[in-house]
Amino acid sequence: MSGISRRQFLAAGLGAVGTAATGVGLGGYVLPLLAREDLIPGEPPDLVLDPEAWTITDDRVSFAAIGDNGSGGRQAMAVATSMAETYAKRPYGNVILLGDISYYGNFADRYEDVFVRPMRPLLDAGVTFDLAIGNHDEGLRYSEAGYDEIEAEVRMLDVPGRFYMQTYGPADVFLLDSSVPGLFGPRSSEQLEWLDDTLASTTSKWRIVAMHHPPYSSGRHGSTPRAEERLVPILERHKVDLVLAGHDHHYERTVPLRGVTYVVSGGGCKTTKVGDSAFTAVSHRILQFLHIQIDGDRLVGTCIQPAGQVADRFELRAREDR
Amino acid sequence: MRRATFDRVAIVVYAAVDWLVIMAPSLAVKLAADRGGLGDSKGLDLVFASAAIATPHAVVAARRLRYEERTAVRRADIWIASIDALVVLALSTTLLVVVVLAFFADEHAALTNRGFPVVLLWVGIQLIAVVMAEVTGRVVFWWLEPHRPRRRQRKVVDHPRQEVTTG
């Protein structure tokens, strides 16, 4: 090879391979990862809220729902700050965590970073937290470590179990463990039977189901396989009003599907792409949480972004037979 | 295009790419923040921090290329070395940030809890990346360039000129 020395050939070859690898690796994976994740540490909200400033009566309640907020990063802190600011204007006594409450490490180690720091103002105000277990929390589910992780979450958040029901004023909220094999896997019958029986016996005006995996979603993960055949018939049979989920990192509300409205509220700290499906009423790739106000036979949901912008507002009417 | 003009343009383009490579991670974070609906000012601190490193480094890189153009025996060595430096810069600026932030989340969260400004961490990581790229560029250039073996200087001894006579 005349004109090119062996060293030049080696260095140029490494440069060419490096350029190709950099183009593919950075452009296709690392930079999108950096944009998708919430890796930058953030300052927690610095607010002092009036303790127990909310009102709960038999026909009135308000609460919040947030999903996939477990980074402890800057974006998680911004959403948490917005939650605290919303509390200051419209106090609420409960928060539903829609799963994935700890990224980049296990919950027991990151409890302070991903839960206490962002939620400190709400915790100090006496707000209680309920949990729908998410898949990130069960990534090692079949190992001892995986069970330990779920046990730690249940214990540290002081919730009754992996799946349970809570009553918020006029609403019964069913918190499910939608992770495999929790709801859709081979050992799902226990939880589905419990849900079927408990929904059958409830007399509340509002029925809300909270879970991590969305039955309907136009996002990155999409609609959860087998949800439509195993879970949706139960929800429809018992006339559930609203299903809250996370998993996909966006906000999406469906049109009422045979009477049930499904909301994905997974923008607690990260965002991913979302499209529009035939069932979509509204979808946004945004950071957000959901504020829900129930007043008699009217439920108003508001999707709130970190700077306080309202991305969606919807209203449901209670079923006539309740 | 004359060769001198081409060289000048190439150096400016290289410096601009160098600048963009350092800025890319902070711009990715800023775009994500904007898309998510964070306030306008969120993420700007990292953009400014990266700009504070990228701008002087673009100048340093351009000066390095100009110097190498003056001294190089073979022009190809300049561009091979500078492409290698750019690859190292691109990989290290982005990968180092991701690795440090993702795999040591507890450590920097703990630092933030104690009021440590995250922008210092960001600057530190990018400085390391820039130093690695500069070292790569210079070392590879030196390695590629032909070096004449140094001759031992001979002592100059005055010998009386000898008359050579033939005949």
Side-chain angles (χ1 to χ4, degrees):
Chain A
M1 218 177 296
S2 65
I4 293 184
S5 73
R6 190 179 295 172
R7 288 183 178 188
Q8 281 179 319
F9 182 74
L10 186 64
L14 284 174
V17 171
T19 305
T22 305
V24 173
L26 295 193
Y29 185 71
V30 182
L31 282 175
L33 178 88
L34 200 55
R36 195 171 65 232
E37 296 294 319
D38 181 27
L39 295 171
I40 312 299
E43 295 295 324
D46 186 21
L47 278 88
V48 177
L49 303 173
D50 289 341
E52 300 186 15
W54 59 86
T55 309
I56 296 184
T57 65
D58 285 347
D59 66 348
R60 203 165 164 215
V61 72
S62 59
F63 60 95
I66 180 170
D68 307 80
N69 59 318
S71 67
R74 180 176 277 188
Q75 296 183 166
M77 296 301 176
V79 177
T81 302
S82 181
M83 289 178 75
E85 287 167 351
T86 301
Y87 176 100
K89 289 179 241 164
R90 291 181 282 166
Y92 50 86
N94 302 85
V95 173
I96 300 174
L97 299 169
L98 297 164
D100 279 7
I101 58 174
S102 178
Y103 296 115
Y104 322 135
N106 67 58
F107 186 64
D109 293 341
R110 302 216 67 211
Y111 175 70
E112 212 35 56
D113 297 330
V114 301
F115 181 65
V116 176
R117 287 180 70 226
M119 298 301 171
R120 171 82 71 196
L122 296 174
L123 288 165
D124 288 347
V127 172
T128 57
F129 288 78
D130 284 302
L131 171 68
I133 290 168
N135 79 314
H136 217 89
D137 318 320
E138 64 80 53
L140 302 169
R141 189 178 180 79
Y142 294 100
S143 67
E144 288 296 319
Y147 283 111
D148 288 349
E149 175 80 343
I150 290 174
E151 288 296 315
E153 289 184 359
V154 169
R155 189 180 65 249
M156 295 173 93
L157 292 174
D158 197 21
V159 295
R162 278 177 40 226
F163 53 91
Y164 59 98
M165 188 194 84
Q166 288 286 43
T167 300
Y168 298 171
D172 278 343
V173 180
F174 299 82
L175 295 120
L176 305 182
D177 171 8
S178 63
S179 52
V180 175
L183 199 57
F184 306 117
R187 293 190 305 225
S188 62
S189 56
E190 180 198 356
Q191 194 176 176
L192 289 174
E193 279 170 21
W194 168 84
L195 181 65
D196 204 4
D197 293 347
T198 318
L199 276 169
S201 61
T202 187
T203 55
S204 286
K205 184 169 269 188
W206 293 93
R207 294 168 191 177
I208 298 170
V209 167
M211 56 200 284
H212 181 62
H213 297 85
Y216 297 98
S217 168
S218 311
R220 190 161 168 248
H221 296 295
S223 303
T224 304
R226 308 186 73 184
E228 204 156 30
E229 60 185 271
R230 304 196 77 141
L231 178 69
V232 169
I234 297 174
L235 305 176
E236 290 174 1
R237 187 161 63 243
H238 296 292
K239 298 183 177 171
V240 167
D241 301 285
L242 180 64
V243 175
L244 303 173
H247 197 41
D248 268 328
H249 303 155
H250 68 254
Y251 174 80
E252 183 174 16
R253 174 170 58 84
T254 68
V255 294
L257 299 171
R258 293 169 294 278
V260 186
T261 299
Y262 298 83
V263 172
V264 177
S265 177
C269 71
K270 311 176 189 181
T271 61
T272 45
K273 265 203 289 197
V274 59
D276 275 325
S277 303
F279 51 73
T280 306
V282 178
S283 66
H284 296 295
R285 179 182 185 165
I286 50 170
L287 297 164
Q288 51 73 233
F289 74 99
L290 194 64
H291 180 269
I292 291 176
Q293 171 89 46
I294 296 177
D295 199 348
D297 60 357
R298 189 164 158 261
L299 179 153
V300 176
T302 313
C303 170
I304 301 171
Q305 291 184 258
Q309 316 94 307
V310 172
D312 182 37
R313 191 172 181 279
F314 62 94
E315 189 175 323
L316 304 180
R317 289 278 168 187
R319 310 253 185 170
E320 284 184 356
D321 54 347
R322 288 182 200 156
Chain B
M1 196 186 288
R2 286 174 54 203
R3 186 167 150 174
T5 313
F6 177 83
D7 285 349
R8 224 167 285 147
V9 171
I11 287 173
V12 170
V13 169
Y14 182 87
V17 173
D18 183 281
W19 188 86
L20 267 179
V21 162
I22 299 173
M23 293 299 294
S26 65
L27 293 175
V29 170
K30 173 68 180 140
L31 284 175
D34 288 350
R35 198 168 40 210
L38 259 65
D40 287 343
S41 60
K42 297 276 179 168
L44 269 182
D45 54 348
L46 300 183
V47 174
F48 287 137
S50 287
I53 295 169
T55 307
H57 186 253
V59 174
V60 168
R63 290 179 67 173
R64 166 167 46 92
L65 287 186
R66 265 207 299 266
Y67 168 78
E68 288 173 355
E69 280 196 333
R70 281 201 305 272
T71 59
V73 177
R74 297 182 304 209
R75 275 166 56 81
D77 293 346
I78 305 167
W79 295 105
I80 292 171
S82 56
I83 295 294
D84 285 358
L86 204 56
V87 167
V88 169
L89 185 69
L91 285 173
S92 54
T93 45
T94 315
L95 279 181
L96 265 184
V97 164
V98 170
V99 167
V100 169
L101 292 178
F103 292 98
F104 301 96
D106 291 343
E107 283 75 6
H108 56 65
L111 287 174
T112 314
N113 286 352
R114 291 195 290 271
F116 181 86
V118 69
V119 74
L120 287 183
L121 181 72
W122 186 271
V123 167
I125 295 167
Q126 292 220 304
L127 272 179
I128 291 170
V130 160
V131 168
M132 284 166 65
E134 265 313 293
V135 169
T136 302
R138 286 162 198 265
V139 167
V140 171
F141 176 73
W142 175 85
W143 183 66
L144 289 175
E145 281 285 279
H147 300 283
R148 289 199 194 106
R150 279 186 185 175
R151 288 182 189 162
R152 219 177 263 169
Q153 256 186 338
R154 287 181 188 162
K155 275 189 179 173
V156 181
V157 181
D158 282 339
H159 295 287
R161 188 172 282 191
Q162 290 176 338
E163 293 281 329
V164 180
T165 51
T166 53

